[in-house]
DNA sequence: TTGGGG
């Protein structure tokens, strides 16, 4: 390519036809991954770019550099990259762009909201030119009305996650925090309920090996929980080895984001998402179609009578009878974040643990019931106590140990015969929230089950 | 050269 061609930018469509040729390109980054080490000595970062001539599915750009620092550090999907002297290559029938560190150069610019034409990062060989501004301006104008066609990609709702799956998610980041020294966690929400997780067959001793109330080592403060949506699961997400610092500065609390390839696991009976080196971030403007769908479904859910009932609870399943038939249901997150310490609620939840759980231990030496149940719904877990006359109502008096055992097995979802995992059934509960010490009302808050009878 | 996916 002679100097005279240096000003010539090809449209992506035309570049695709110029296999093995050196070209100049400028495009919008619709997807990018974090830097990785190659099997050689270099680092690589892959991007996917589009322009007006090729708005879908985008073309892959592989950028090599001798250090991580020299790779493009994309701030946000939707930013613009200018690529000079890159080579069009075919691989498995697909054309992609290869950035060669010996002669290629790049410049990164803010996307459609950019106010100036100064790149925020350039490679060492990049030479700015007066004409660059015109191309950036044109792309930004085109971007304003551009809606990414997701094509065959398959974004899941949180209610569709399965253990071991790698899924694409379109979620709101409701919080990011350091949960332990140098261990950060991201909290994602899309308004749907993650499926209930089967529990270990064996009922653990909840005293020596308690079932945790949350995945993070320390429970989140109530004033933070008050900022979370009270309906729908909040998925905890962590980072694969070495990925944390790469991802943290790309994620912002309060923003919707599309992740491609998030690993879904189960840990301690909770769903856990993991961002790996294969995870990619995809362009997610404020008016994104996938986001609009999620917001609309959530608003529909909130206005429906069943809105606070877990998605996975069949309407006819009913193992408890509760007083207050006409009171609306709330979620356990509503219970946790209610504005008063003293209050009454009606919830649908399942019992994931009991302390004690053996039928012969459910009553104190004085003969009164005293049990701590761990209740779970798609939003959170809480401890709820079942005491005295509330226990008497719950168990229909003081039945024999054999009958009590059957009742507890039903409540805890213990399989009668085989070693099947435990699947506690959904049940309705009346809950009251109260304090133990008036001087420390919030600090001494507890929950009790009342007005509830096991069938 | 490397990776292009998971």
């Amino acid at each position: 390519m002679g100097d005279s061609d240096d000003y010539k930018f090809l449209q992506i469509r035309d570049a695709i036809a110029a296999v093995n040729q050196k070209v100049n390109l400028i495009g919008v980054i619709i997807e990018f991954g974090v830097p990785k080490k190659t099997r050689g000595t270099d680092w690589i970062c892959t991007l996917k770019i589009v322009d007006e001539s090729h708005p879908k599915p985008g073309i892959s750009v592989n950028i090599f550099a001798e250090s991580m620092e020299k790779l493009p550090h994309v701030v946000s999907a939707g930013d613009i990259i200018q690529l000079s002297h890159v080579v069009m290559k075919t691989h498995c029938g697909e054309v992609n762009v290869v950035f060669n560190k010996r002669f290629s150069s790049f410049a990164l610019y803010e996307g459609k909201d950019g106010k100036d034409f100064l790149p925020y990062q350039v490679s060492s060989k990049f030479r700015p030119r007066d004409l660059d501004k015109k191309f950036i301006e044109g792309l930004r104008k085109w971007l304003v009305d551009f809606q990414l066609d997701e094509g065959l990609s398959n974004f899941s709702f949180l209610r569709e996650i399965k253990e071991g799956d790698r899924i694409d998610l379109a979620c709101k980041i409701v919080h990011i925090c350091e949960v332990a020294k140098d261990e950060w966690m991201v909290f994602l929400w899309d308004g749907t309920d993650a499926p209930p997780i089967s529990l270990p067959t064996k009922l653990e001793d909840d005293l020596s090996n308690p079932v945790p109330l949350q995945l993070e080592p320390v429970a989140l403060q109530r004033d933070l929980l008050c900022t979370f949506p009270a309906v729908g699961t909040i998925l905890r997400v962590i980072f694969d080895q070495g990925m944390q610092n790469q991802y943290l500065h790309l994620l912002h609390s309060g923003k919707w984001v599309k992740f491609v390839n998030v690993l879904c696991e189960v840990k301690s009976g909770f769903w856990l998402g993991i961002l790996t080196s294969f995870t990619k971030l995809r362009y997610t403007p404020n008016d994104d179609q996938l986001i609009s769908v999620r917001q609309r479904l959530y608003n529909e859910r909130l206005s429906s009578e069943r809105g606070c009932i877990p998605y996975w609870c069949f309407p006819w399943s009913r193992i408890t009878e509760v007083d207050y038939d006409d009171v609306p249901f709330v979620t356990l997150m509503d219970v946790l974040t209610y504005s008063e310490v003293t209050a009454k609620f009606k919830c649908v939840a399942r019992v994931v643990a009991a302390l004690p759980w053996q039928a012969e231990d459910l009553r104190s030496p004085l003969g009164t019931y005293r049990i701590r149940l761990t209740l779970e719904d798609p939003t959170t877990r809480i401890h709820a106590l079942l005491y005295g006359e509330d226990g008497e109502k719950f168990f229909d008096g003081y039945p024999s140990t054999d009958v009590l055992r059957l009742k507890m097995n039903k409540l805890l979802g213990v399989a009668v015969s085989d070693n099947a995992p435990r699947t506690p059934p959904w049940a309705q509960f009346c809950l009251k929230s109260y304090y133990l010490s008036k001087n420390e009302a919030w600090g001494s808050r507890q929950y009790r089950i009342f007005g509830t009878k096991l069938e």
Side-chain angles (χ1 to χ4, degrees):
Chain A
M1 183 191 293
D3 280 353
S4 59
D5 285 326
D6 252 18
Y7 274 96
K8 197 176 154 197
F9 283 95
L10 287 189
Q11 292 219 298
I12 293 174
R13 183 187 48 208
D14 297 329
I16 288 169
V19 173
N20 293 325
Q21 291 182 49
K22 213 186 271 183
V23 301
N24 300 327
L25 289 174
I26 184 156
V28 176
I29 301 162
I30 53 152
E31 190 180 292
F32 67 102
V34 291
K36 293 182 232 188
K37 260 195 136 121
T38 67
R39 227 181 306 165
T41 55
D42 280 347
W43 287 74
I44 182 169
C45 163
T46 65
L47 318 169
K48 208 170 263 179
I49 61 170
V50 295
D51 69 4
E52 199 167 1
S53 74
H54 186 74
K56 64 172 184 177
I59 184 167
S60 288
V61 184
N62 299 318
I63 300 173
F64 297 96
E66 60 214 359
S67 70
M68 194 173 74
E69 291 70 36
K70 289 180 177 172
L71 285 174
H73 292 273
V74 179
V75 168
S76 174
D79 285 351
I80 292 167
I81 191 163
Q82 183 180 347
L83 293 158
S84 299
H85 306 149
V86 288
V87 183
M88 306 304 294
K89 288 276 179 195
T90 47
H91 172 78
C92 298
E94 294 229 341
V95 180
N96 52 50
V97 182
V98 177
F99 179 101
N100 189 308
K101 64 186 174 186
R102 292 202 332 273
F103 50 77
S104 306
S105 73
F106 71 80
L108 281 171
Y109 301 84
E110 272 182 84
K112 66 179 169 193
D113 299 324
K115 299 283 179 281
D116 57 39
F117 300 97
L118 297 170
Y120 64 78
Q121 188 193 352
V122 297
S123 67
S124 59
K125 291 192 166 51
F126 177 75
R127 297 289 169 264
R129 299 170 299 192
D130 288 341
L131 230 64
D132 297 343
K133 182 181 157 182
K134 269 202 137 46
F135 289 101
I136 304 299
E137 199 169 23
L139 263 183
R140 281 177 178 164
K141 278 206 180 116
W142 169 72
L143 249 187
V144 171
D145 294 317
F146 170 67
Q147 278 276 6
L148 182 61
D149 181 345
E150 298 289 353
L152 294 173
S153 61
N154 194 7
F155 282 84
S156 303
F157 291 104
L158 288 180
R159 69 164 176 248
E160 297 171 306
I161 63 177
K162 291 186 195 71
E163 189 172 5
D165 269 9
R166 292 167 175 279
I167 59 167
D168 303 341
L169 289 174
C171 286
K172 187 178 187 179
I173 301 178
V174 295
H175 188 57
I176 305 172
C177 69
E178 193 178 23
V179 291
K181 177 104 178 82
D182 294 326
E183 277 179 43
W184 289 71
M185 193 172 263
V186 181
F187 299 78
L188 299 182
W189 170 89
D190 72 1
T192 69
D193 293 342
I197 296 166
S198 294
L199 298 153
T201 313
K202 271 202 125 100
L203 275 159
E204 296 285 335
D205 184 346
D206 198 30
L207 190 59
S208 62
N209 193 9
V211 170
L213 291 185
Q214 73 284 319
L215 198 50
E216 50 279 12
V218 179
L220 301 178
Q221 295 286 312
R222 180 182 166 275
D223 56 355
L224 174 63
L225 295 180
C226 288
T227 69
F228 288 7
V231 177
T233 299
I234 305 223
L235 177 71
R236 272 63 173 169
V237 175
I238 59 167
F239 307 92
D240 224 356
Q241 191 80 42
M243 295 292 121
Q244 182 169 287
N245 290 340
Q246 314 268 19
Y247 280 113
L248 273 181
H249 66 274
L250 301 172
L251 308 176
H252 305 285
S253 186
K255 288 263 186 285
W256 285 84
V257 63
K258 282 186 267 181
F259 289 107
V260 174
N261 195 329
V262 178
L263 183 57
C264 294
E265 290 189 352
V266 166
K267 193 183 166 195
S268 309
F270 294 97
W271 289 106
L272 179 65
I274 302 170
L275 303 188
T276 73
S277 63
F278 311 121
T279 305
K280 291 187 162 54
L281 288 164
R282 187 169 295 181
Y283 182 48
T284 316
N286 293 329
D287 59 350
D288 188 90
Q289 297 164 71
L290 291 181
I291 303 311
S292 304
V293 166
R294 279 148 182 78
Q295 288 170 326
R296 181 172 53 77
L297 290 175
Y298 179 63
N299 289 331
E300 284 171 13
R301 179 175 184 183
L302 283 193
S303 59
S304 117
E305 232 172 84
R306 285 185 48 82
C308 289
I309 298 178
Y311 173 81
W312 297 94
C313 167
F314 295 108
W316 55 85
S317 95
R318 192 165 259 250
I319 69 153
T320 53
E321 282 286 321
V322 289
D323 302 347
Y324 310 103
D325 244 358
D326 46 350
V327 174
F329 288 101
V330 297
T331 67
L332 294 182
M333 188 64 95
D334 283 317
V335 172
L336 278 183
T337 57
Y338 192 67
S339 56
E340 315 269 340
V341 175
T342 307
K344 290 178 178 175
F345 309 96
K346 196 171 77 177
C347 300
V348 175
R350 49 184 210 145
V351 180
V352 294
L355 173 70
W357 60 273
Q358 298 95 330
E360 50 273 22
D361 299 336
L362 299 181
R363 289 161 66 184
S364 75
L366 295 169
T368 55
Y369 288 107
R370 32 122 240 220
I371 312 160
R372 187 190 76 181
L373 300 180
T374 304
L375 302 186
E376 178 191 88
D377 78 357
T379 66
T380 193
R381 287 182 182 173
I382 66 166
H383 285 145
L385 306 169
L386 185 54
Y387 274 166
E389 59 193 30
D390 294 325
E392 194 181 319
K393 167 153 184 145
F394 192 82
F395 292 112
D396 197 16
Y398 299 92
S400 69
T401 305
D402 283 345
V403 172
L404 265 185
R405 184 173 295 116
L406 287 174
K407 285 178 182 268
M408 285 303 279
N409 282 352
K410 182 157 94 177
L411 189 63
L412 287 157
V414 176
V416 188
S417 51
D418 49 13
N419 285 329
R422 208 151 54 75
T423 53
W426 296 103
Q428 302 185 1
F429 294 97
C430 287
L431 291 171
K432 71 172 78 160
S433 162
Y434 60 99
Y435 54 77
L436 296 180
S437 149
K438 189 157 194 173
N439 299 330
E440 218 197 324
W442 283 107
S444 67
R445 181 172 58 162
Q446 292 198 332
Y447 306 105
R448 252 159 102 156
I449 290 165
F450 76 102
T452 308
K453 181 171 174 284
L454 188 58
E455 292 277 271

